[in-house]
Amino acid sequence: MLRANRKNGIIKFMETKINKIDRNQIDEELIQEAGVILKEGGLVAFPTETVYGLGANALDEEAAKKTYAAKGRPSDNPLIVHIADLEDLDEIVESVPQEAILLAQQFWPGPLTMIFQKSSIVPYGTTGGLETVAVRMPKDPIALKLILAAGGYVSAPSANTSGRPSPTDAKHVWNDLNGKIDMILDGGNVEIGLESTILDMTVTPPMILRPGAITEEMLEEVIGTVSVDKSIMGEDTNSPPKAPGMKYRHYAPKANLMIVEGDLKEQIFAIRQIAYERSREGKQVGIIATEETVGFYTKGIIKNIGSRENEKTIARNLYRVLREFDEEDVSEIYSELFAVSGIGSAIMNRLEKAAGHSRILAHDIVKKQRYRRIVFVSDSDTCRGPIAAQILKQKDLRQEYWIDSKGLVVLFSEPINQKAEAVMKSNQLSLEGYTSKPLVPKDLNPDTLILAMEQNQKDKMLSEYANQDGIYLENIYTLNEFVNDDLVLPDPYGQPLTAYGECYEKINILIDKLVTILNSFTEGEV
Ligand code: AMP
Ligand code: MG
């Protein structure tokens, strides 16, 4: 990944130094060394509490050009100037409104960027040609010391290749910028994980151009009403976003990312269904799940992004997870949806951008799932029911079902009938270790297809549970009735092994028909 720089006709490779630095015991010499690089027009990546920044001297037009080149960033996308001392603000802006002073007192150092009219010392190279300048005072002590060592004004966009997820770890910076910058200060993982909130102070009321860890509510507590640029959530797509950087596809993993919309339960069922269908085609999808939902997924490459109870953990992990998917063999990633309040609006803003605003309606997928469970019901649950369930589990179904069997007269658990097991074995299947279970009222619900082996079993369920509250009787069929076949399944109990063999064959025929019917429900591509 070394980049050749042509200088005086000689090809020179830029070597990127990477130096560990401990924010609790900062190596002053290293800071001075990095400060000199910046003063001389070089590039140093450093940790801030939001993401890693790619530092350059903000007052040096040439340094700004290098920054754009290293990132591969369009040069109309302005840089944020980082300061370490509030007194330094006056030098680079025309005037500081009273509200900005209140906000600075409350949130600086911290993840808030404010936009002002620029003063003449700020080059257009830094502001992307704009008359305004974005300023922030970061909180990380490494960043603060470095800014002072560099002379007080450090422009620092995120230290990633333009378009990729922002770096939350020095390793991410190395992967993107090795050979293109002079030094990386490795301060470990960042605290917040999402870029700063950007607030435009040149309009009344001030306007949020990019959501971040300092939320709309937090700002309003200090200065009253603020407005929000409508385009940041992709709502008002006709007008371009006011922070030029927000118009680019951003934060994107290599795979196609899609956000699955709906209530959480539907999201989970839809993502499960997609992952299951792709796995039938021999492919794996990526899944962005949470602490609370991760256990519901079985197929695909599943990543836990953090806890819905503590959304800060989601913010912190988002970019790392998006980058990790680049190492996996997935061409599609499906993400659950997060609430858009508090820091959630910053999370969803980044996720939407990473997804290029592509969303899938969970309901469109879930509505095709007429049933989610299939339960075969017999008397004792020791022969026909378990055989039917086991055969169905081997079939190629387009939907993932929980398949089970239950009995109507199961007083205590019994193993599978020995002759049934012998027939299973001769068909390369087994029910060894299976023990019978009784049907319980909650099995009769709208999600579950109940398939009895015989008419009298169906009748018994209908009469036993008639007029009982909370019991759903509409999904009860006999197996042959459901598949529209006359084939009956008499109980082989007490008869020779051949009768069990015949019973197995009949069940197999009916199950094949069942598969065709079940698969017709989920017809059509996801
Ligand atoms: P990054 O440095 O990667 O965090 O991106 C900086 C963001 O701040 C980009 O979205 C820029 O468009 C935005 N920004 C910087 N300066 C200005 C400005 N003067 N006016 C509006 N947006 C700005
Ligand atoms: Mg960026």
Side-chain angles (χ1 to χ4, degrees):
M1 275 276 286
L2 291 188
R3 198 177 58 119
N5 290 336
R6 205 171 269 279
K7 203 178 177 190
N8 305 327
I10 304 162
I11 290 178
K12 184 178 153 229
F13 289 100
M14 183 179 264
E15 199 189 317
T16 300
K17 281 194 207 165
I18 180 158
N19 291 104
K20 281 217 184 310
I21 187 160
D22 178 355
R23 69 172 53 75
N24 297 314
Q25 210 179 331
I26 294 177
D27 178 344
E28 301 289 343
E29 257 177 56
L30 181 56
I31 291 289
Q32 288 312 316
E33 189 190 336
V36 169
I37 295 174
L38 292 175
K39 278 183 173 162
E40 291 178 351
L43 303 179
V44 177
F46 61 96
T48 80
E49 75 279 23
T50 58
V51 299
Y52 271 74
L54 177 55
N57 179 355
L59 306 184
D60 176 351
E61 187 106 46
E62 290 305 311
K65 280 189 192 149
K66 282 194 200 167
T67 306
Y68 290 113
K71 279 178 63 75
R73 174 174 177 149
S75 59
D76 68 342
N77 187 355
L79 308 175
I80 295 173
V81 178
H82 292 67
I83 59 172
D85 186 339
L86 196 51
E87 304 217 325
D88 292 342
L89 182 61
D90 288 337
E91 291 287 311
I92 54 170
V93 306
E94 274 295 301
S95 64
V96 183
Q98 184 57 32
E99 289 174 323
I101 293 169
L102 292 175
L103 290 170
Q105 282 167 348
Q106 183 73 23
F107 299 115
W108 278 2
L112 175 66
T113 296
M114 288 188 271
I115 291 172
F116 306 95
Q117 295 298 331
K118 81 174 192 71
S119 76
S120 60
I121 70 163
V122 183
Y124 288 112
T126 297
T127 66
L130 298 175
E131 292 300 335
T132 53
V133 61
V135 187
R136 167 167 115 84
M137 189 191 296
K139 197 174 85 185
D140 191 309
I142 300 169
L144 290 170
K145 291 206 169 200
L146 177 65
I147 293 163
L148 292 177
Y153 302 101
V154 172
S155 61
S158 49
N160 53 307
T161 298
S162 192
R164 296 209 68 207
S166 296
T168 54
D169 188 318
K171 186 172 79 220
H172 302 158
V173 180
W174 177 262
N175 290 343
D176 282 13
L177 300 179
N178 178 27
K180 300 180 175 177
I181 64 176
D182 298 280
M183 186 188 271
I184 300 170
L185 293 177
D186 176 359
N189 287 320
V190 302
E191 180 197 328
I192 294 172
L194 298 178
E195 302 83 349
S196 58
T197 305
I198 300 181
L199 187 66
D200 186 353
M201 302 305 295
T202 68
V203 294
T204 315
M207 182 184 275
I208 295 176
L209 307 187
R210 176 173 77 185
I214 306 292
T215 63
E216 184 181 351
E217 300 78 46
M218 290 160 78
L219 294 169
E220 290 194 331
E221 251 181 55
V222 180
I223 57 165
T225 309
V226 299
S227 60
V228 180
D229 179 2
K230 283 278 172 280
S231 71
I232 61 184
M233 280 301 174
E235 290 163 34
D236 177 11
T237 39
N238 288 330
S239 59
K242 297 188 175 55
M246 299 303 275
K247 72 179 177 229
Y248 299 105
R249 180 157 187 246
H250 235 118
Y251 324 116
K254 291 176 188 150
N256 225 341
L257 172 65
M258 279 157 281
I259 300 168
V260 179
E261 195 181 344
D263 70 46
L264 187 55
K265 198 172 156 198
E266 286 194 329
Q267 291 172 39
I268 294 167
F269 281 126
I271 295 173
R272 277 179 61 103
Q273 172 62 17
I274 297 166
Y276 177 80
E277 285 213 17
R278 293 296 180 270
S279 80
R280 285 176 75 236
E281 300 160 4
K283 292 187 209 144
Q284 279 200 308
V285 300
I287 298 175
I288 297 181
T290 51
E291 190 74 46
E292 290 81 1
T293 60
V294 72
F296 293 111
Y297 301 104
T298 50
K299 302 273 194 296
I301 297 193
I302 306 145
K303 301 219 186 251
N304 177 353
I305 193 179
S307 166
R308 287 174 178 276
E309 288 285 295
N310 179 4
E311 287 188 312
K312 284 185 177 163
T313 59
I314 297 177
R316 196 175 300 144
N317 293 327
L318 175 64
Y319 291 142
R320 176 179 55 77
V321 165
L322 292 178
R323 279 179 179 260
E324 279 176 11
F325 275 121
D326 287 350
E327 311 294 312
E328 308 279 1
D329 181 24
V330 295
S331 57
E332 295 169 17
I333 304 167
Y334 294 88
S335 176
E336 294 175 3
L337 186 77
F338 304 102
V340 286
S341 58
I343 196 165
S345 75
I347 294 169
M348 279 312 297
N349 166 261
R350 306 314 193 276
L351 201 57
E352 289 275 11
K353 287 191 159 297
H357 297 288
S358 68
R359 283 187 174 223
I360 286 183
L361 286 181
H363 188 71
D364 286 347
I365 294 165
V366 173
K367 72 182 180 203
K368 293 185 193 164
Q369 301 190 327
R370 196 169 304 182
Y371 311 105
R372 297 210 174 86
R373 290 175 73 221
I374 299 171
V375 175
F376 294 94
V377 173
S378 61
D379 292 325
S380 66
D381 193 36
T382 56
C383 179
R384 288 170 295 175
I387 289 176
Q390 198 63 13
I391 293 176
L392 183 60
K393 284 181 191 171
Q394 315 305 317
K395 301 290 182 187
D396 187 24
L397 288 163
R398 294 190 53 153
Q399 184 190 324
E400 188 173 30
Y401 294 96
W402 283 273
I403 299 167
D404 206 352
S405 64
K406 299 280 179 96
L408 293 175
V409 276
V410 180
L411 297 178
F412 38 85
S413 230
E414 281 187 79
I416 192 75
N417 178 293
Q418 284 185 6
K419 288 178 184 165
E421 176 62 4
V423 167
M424 292 294 277
K425 284 249 161 69
S426 64
N427 286 284
Q428 286 78 50
L429 295 176
S430 175
L431 281 162
E432 207 184 299
Y434 182 81
T435 54
S436 59
K437 305 180 292 298
L439 184 81
V440 292
K442 72 173 198 297
D443 288 324
L444 303 174
N445 63 58
D447 270 358
T448 307
L449 173 63
I450 301 284
L451 295 172
M453 297 296 116
E454 290 181 45
Q455 184 64 37
N456 65 18
Q457 292 154 354
K458 173 182 168 180
D459 295 342
K460 196 169 163 194
M461 282 183 272
L462 291 179
S463 61
E464 190 167 330
Y465 292 107
N467 307 322
Q468 280 198 31
D469 277 354
I471 303 274
Y472 193 79
L473 298 175
E474 308 298 314
N475 288 350
I476 303 177
Y477 303 86
T478 64
L479 175 56
N480 60 7
E481 170 194 17
F482 191 78
V483 304
N484 204 8
D485 194 305
D486 301 332
L487 209 55
V488 288
L489 290 174
D491 187 355
Y493 187 72
Q495 295 183 50
L497 191 59
T498 48
Y500 283 82
E502 278 165 30
C503 181
Y504 177 97
E505 293 307 329
K506 286 182 183 172
I507 292 174
N508 198 27
I509 291 168
L510 296 177
I511 295 291
D512 276 336
K513 293 195 165 187
L514 175 64
V515 170
T516 307
I517 292 171
L518 292 174
N519 282 351
S520 72
F521 297 150
T522 37
E523 214 112 272
E525 267 301 290
V526 173

